[in-house]
Amino acid sequence: NYRRSGKWGKTSVGAEFRSETIYSSLLGDSGITPIEVRNYPAYYAKSKQRNNGSLFADHGYYKKRWSVSGGAMMNVIPDFGTVIYPGVEAAVWPLKQVKLRVIYSRSVRFPTYTDLYYNRGGAVGSINLRPE
């Protein structure tokens, strides 16, 4: 993260990268060489890996009893594509202990490996699920 404050407010920019891997007897794609489960008579025969990268920037201006800020995050997951999520906020403190805010933002929930692959007890996973 990089932060800079000045006369016109405070700016932050940053990046994140995450790699997720699962080895399982139920969840993921078939085709791996089975991996023995330590201290248990079973094997992991499925796996799945995905990467998640994001860049973000925001700027906020603060003046006595009010503030305004805005920013955006660009998220890249090869399985789901690239999407930009904006957000803005305005706030005022009518009293020292009371803050009133108005916020607009967009967010996302990516399907978990369970959402994508689990098929037991009435649950039906689908590898065609998209972010919501």
Side-chain angles (χ1 to χ4, degrees), residues 5 11 25 28 34 47 51 55 70 79 109 120:
S5 297
T11 301
S25 58
S47 71
N51 296 319
L55 301 171
D79 291 350
R109 186 185 83 82
R120 295 277 194 277

Side-chain angles (χ1 to χ4, degrees), residues 27-102:
L27 309 177
D29 297 328
S30 300
I32 68 166
T33 301
I35 300 168
E36 187 176 352
V37 178
R38 192 179 331 171
N39 300 321
Y40 194 74
Y43 290 87
Y44 297 133
K46 297 184 177 196
S47 71
K48 183 66 177 173
Q49 191 269 333
R50 66 182 174 194
N51 296 319
N52 180 348
S54 62
L55 301 171
F56 68 87
D58 64 64
H59 183 78
Y61 182 74
Y62 310 91
K63 182 87 174 180
K64 294 186 181 180
R65 292 186 170 257
W66 62 272
S67 68
V68 63
S69 62
M73 180 184 74
M74 180 177 72
N75 191 260
V76 180
I77 296 184
D79 291 350
F80 302 117
T82 299
V83 183
I84 296 177
Y85 302 98
V88 293
E89 175 182 329
V92 64
W93 288 262
L95 303 170
K96 203 173 195 175
Q97 296 83 12
V98 177
K99 179 180 182 180
L100 301 175
R101 310 191 295 185
V102 175

